[in-house]
């Protein structure tokens, strides 16, 4: 009986493998370029999903007695204006939720951290200050300015700053909203930036430039005696702007 159960389980696994189509384990925000993790097998998809959700792979970790495995994503962005060099690195912590506008929901951040004002776009006034009930979630972004310069747009020279962004949480439009709330919207962001945003050939200057994640690999090629150990995978991609 146990043998039959084991065979049925193996048959189901083989069937899943035969019909499985590679799919992303996470998503990038709309118009964002850069690295995406693609799972090639059902097992890889399940494990990667848990990594991106910062959940432990309990079975493996219990056996190896390891801490929770996780993923870290880093983005490169070009933002409008010159970020103050005296505060060129820091933390943005504004909760993000949804507000109802006309006939649809829009992402907004809690600018004053008391749910009294829903910030939607730079140099624009929100039509509502009421968040959809229970939609607010804590959101934290680390930022670091790495270069300052200018770009030519519509015959004028405008200041821009290149920044590195590390989302600690993963809320909707988090990086766009957090930078716009600092009065430095991402270049090309027509959703949360100015109507007169710098035109970079209609390109959103936000790029997933680095993905680092814990995985498990065999410590040696010693067949059945090979032991699992945790390793860190780092993937990098150069932004197109």
């Amino acid at each position: 009986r146990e043998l039959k159960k084991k065979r049925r389980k193996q048959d189901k696994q083989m069937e899943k493998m035969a019909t499985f189509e590679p799919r992303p384990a996470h998503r990038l925000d709309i118009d964002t370029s850069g690295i995406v993790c693609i799972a090639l097998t059902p097992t890889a998809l399940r494990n990667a999903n848990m990594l991106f959700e910062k959940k432990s792979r309990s079975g493996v970790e219990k056996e190896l007695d390891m801490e929770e495995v996780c993923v870290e994503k880093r983005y490169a962005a070009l933002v409008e204006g010159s970020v103050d060099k005296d505060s060129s690195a820091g933390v943005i912590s504004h909760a993000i939720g949804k507000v109802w506008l006309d006939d649809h929901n829009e992402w907004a951040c809690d600018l004053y951290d008391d749910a009294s004002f829903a910030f939607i776009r730079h140099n624009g006034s929100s039509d509502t200050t009421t968040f959809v009930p229970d939609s607010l979630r804590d959101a934290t972004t680390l930022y670091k300015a790495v270069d300052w310069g200018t770009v030519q747009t519509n015959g004028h020279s405008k200041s821009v700053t290149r920044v590195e962004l590390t989302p600690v949480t993963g809320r909707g439009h988090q990086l766009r909203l957090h930078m716009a709330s600092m009065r430095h919207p991402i270049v090309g962001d027509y959703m949360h930036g100015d109507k007169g945003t710098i035109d970079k050939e209609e390109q959103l200057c936000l790029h997933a430039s680095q993905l680092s994640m814990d995985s498990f690999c065999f410590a040696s090629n010693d067949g059945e005696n090979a032991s699992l150990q945790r390793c860190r995978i780092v993937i990098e991609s150069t932004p197109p702007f």
Side-chain angles (χ1 to χ4, degrees):
R1 186 177 296 177
E2 290 298 324
L3 182 59
K4 288 183 178 179
K5 286 183 179 180
K6 186 176 181 180
R7 286 178 176 174
R8 282 198 298 268
K9 185 177 180 180
Q10 290 175 340
D11 290 342
K12 287 182 179 180
Q13 290 175 340
M14 293 298 294
E15 184 179 350
K16 285 183 179 180
M17 287 287 293
T19 59
F20 182 82
E21 294 183 358
R23 64 192 68 178
H26 65 110
R27 294 182 297 176
L28 294 180
D29 196 4
I30 186 172
D31 297 329
T32 302
S33 58
I35 301 167
V36 176
C37 177
I38 305 294
L40 302 181
T41 67
T43 300
L45 180 63
R46 182 175 65 252
N47 291 341
N49 282 339
M50 288 192 288
L51 285 174
F52 279 95
E53 293 170 6
K54 294 188 177 180
K55 294 180 180 178
S56 64
R57 297 204 298 186
S58 57
V60 177
E61 287 184 8
K62 185 176 181 181
E63 179 183 346
L64 299 181
D65 192 23
M66 289 186 171
E67 297 177 354
E68 181 181 354
V69 291
C70 63
V71 171
E72 181 179 295
K73 293 183 285 185
R74 184 173 298 170
Y75 292 76
L78 203 62
V79 301
E80 297 190 24
S82 182
V83 174
D84 190 343
K85 293 186 178 181
D86 292 332
S87 56
S88 60
V91 181
I92 310 169
S93 295
H94 296 311
I96 291 176
K98 294 180 179 180
V99 295
W100 180 258
L101 289 182
D102 299 326
D103 58 353
H104 65 283
N105 283 320
E106 284 201 26
W107 292 107
C109 71
D110 183 11
L111 193 60
Y112 302 125
D113 301 324
D114 59 3
S116 66
F117 184 77
F119 174 88
I120 297 177
R121 58 184 53 87
H122 179 54
N123 282 346
S125 59
S126 298
D127 296 325
T128 179
T129 57
T130 304
F131 285 94
V132 173
D134 301 321
S135 69
L136 273 175
R137 297 289 184 273
D138 290 340
T140 302
T141 300
L142 310 181
Y143 73 91
K144 179 182 179 181
V146 295
D147 194 20
W148 290 260
T150 59
V151 296
Q152 294 293 323
T153 178
N154 299 324
H156 300 284
S157 179
K158 289 191 175 183
S159 298
V160 294
T161 306
R162 186 174 294 273
V163 296
E164 290 180 354
L165 303 174
T166 303
V168 179
T169 53
R171 313 304 180 202
H173 293 196
Q174 177 175 316
L175 301 181
R176 297 181 182 215
L177 282 166
H178 277 175
M179 292 312 299
S181 72
M182 289 182 62
R183 301 190 178 186
H184 294 293
I186 296 173
V187 171
D189 183 5
Y190 294 93
M191 302 179 82
H192 302 290
D194 299 331
K195 288 184 178 180
T197 184
I198 296 172
D199 186 4
K200 288 284 286 183
E201 299 179 353
E202 299 183 355
Q203 176 188 16
L204 176 69
C205 292
L206 179 62
H207 182 83
S209 58
Q210 186 182 94
L211 173 65
S212 56
M213 57 194 298
D214 287 337
S215 184
F216 295 91
C217 57
F218 288 105
S220 69
N221 294 322
D222 192 19
E224 295 181 356
N225 296 322
S227 60
L228 279 175
Q229 68 176 12
R230 186 167 67 175
C231 57
R232 191 73 172 171
I233 299 172
V234 180
I235 305 160
E236 295 183 337
S237 171
T238 303
F241 48 81

